[in-house]
């Protein structure tokens, strides 16, 4: 396992259940404070790590893929820039804007909002990203030295996936 910061694409990448819970709770606060319809955090593959809000009319998995593609496209234009962000008009009843913000190299915040993205909205999203990013960095250090926490986190993630897919497979979609 390579822990070099210069070669992060070859690193084992895992978030502990503590960080995932922190992101979920912080997202709830962010959606409430910004009056967003919904928000999610995805990794660069589009996999949803945390989400909250009313996704009516907005499929979370599509949002995840769109967020990942948007940040990847922005990164291709400006690969050295750290705080990639974009706001896109979204012509859907009840939602007018989709906001994307790179939290870290592998994580992206995506929020749907009815109003134009104000400086206050963007600042709240940036504060969310800074808080989550600091906890992720501390978490990485803890998991390097504590293999029990890594195992607990993998177990937590598997249980969350089981919960998500249980509804899908028991609703007649299997």
């Amino acid at each position: 396992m390579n822990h070099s910061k210069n070669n992060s694409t070859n690193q084992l990448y895992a978030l502990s259940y503590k960080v995932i819970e922190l992101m979920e709770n912080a997202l709830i606060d962010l959606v409430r404070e910004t009056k967003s319809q919904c928000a999610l955090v995805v990794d660069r593959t589009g996999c949803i790590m945390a989400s909250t809000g009313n996704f009516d009319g907005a499929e979370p998995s599509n949002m995840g893929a769109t967020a990942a593609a948007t940040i990847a496209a922005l990164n291709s234009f400006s690969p050295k820039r750290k705080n990639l962000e974009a706001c896109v008009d979204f012509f859907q009843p009840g939602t007018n804007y989709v906001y994307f913000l790179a939290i870290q190299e592998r994580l992206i915040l995506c929020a749907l909002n009815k109003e134009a993205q104000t400086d206050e909205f963007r600042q709240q999203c940036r504060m969310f990203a800074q808080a989550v990013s600091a906890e992720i960095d501390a978490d990485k250090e803890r998991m390097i030295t504590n293999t029990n926490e890594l195992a607990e986190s993998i177990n937590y993630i598997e249980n969350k996936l089981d919960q998500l897919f249980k509804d899908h497979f028991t609703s007649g979609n299997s």
Side-chain angles (χ1 to χ4, degrees), residues 2-140:
N2 179 0
H3 297 293
S4 164
K5 291 187 179 193
N6 294 333
N7 196 3
S8 62
T9 56
N10 293 330
Q11 289 181 355
L12 172 65
Y13 183 76
L15 297 175
S16 74
Y17 68 92
K18 293 174 185 176
V19 169
I20 293 171
E21 286 179 338
L22 173 115
M23 281 193 297
E24 288 175 344
N25 292 329
L27 272 179
I28 290 168
D29 293 341
L30 181 67
V31 166
R32 184 181 62 249
E33 291 168 7
T34 62
K35 297 179 177 75
S36 294
Q37 176 182 334
C38 59
L40 47 81
V41 174
V42 298
D43 76 2
R44 67 181 176 194
T45 67
C47 179
I48 299 170
M49 305 305 285
S51 64
T52 192
N54 176 6
F55 287 91
D56 186 37
E59 176 62 38
S61 59
N62 291 342
M63 288 175 58
T66 302
T70 300
I71 294 299
L74 289 173
N75 192 45
S76 71
F77 292 122
S78 183
K80 301 287 185 200
R81 195 163 166 220
K82 287 190 178 210
N83 296 322
L84 294 174
E85 65 183 311
C87 181
V88 179
D89 284 342
F90 188 68
F91 301 107
Q92 176 175 323
T95 301
N96 297 49
Y97 298 93
V98 183
Y99 175 77
F100 306 99
L101 174 66
I103 297 172
Q104 284 195 341
E105 179 184 2
R106 295 186 65 118
L107 291 177
I108 304 148
L109 169 67
C110 177
L112 272 64
N113 199 294
K114 294 179 184 180
E115 299 177 13
Q117 307 309 310
T118 63
D119 288 338
E120 181 181 345
F121 171 87
R122 292 174 60 214
Q123 183 61 29
Q124 287 175 312
C125 290
R126 288 179 186 145
M127 289 184 334
F128 167 87
Q130 289 171 347
V132 167
S133 187
E135 187 57 36
I136 290 169
D137 290 342
D139 192 57
K140 285 178 188 176

Side-chain angles (χ1 to χ4, degrees), residues 47-48 154-169:
C47 179
I48 299 170
I154 291 170
N155 215 8
Y156 177 84
I157 292 167
E158 286 179 1
N159 288 333
K160 284 290 243 182
L161 289 170
D162 287 345
Q163 287 174 349
L164 289 170
F165 287 106
K166 180 184 92 176
D167 292 338
H168 176 74
F169 290 117

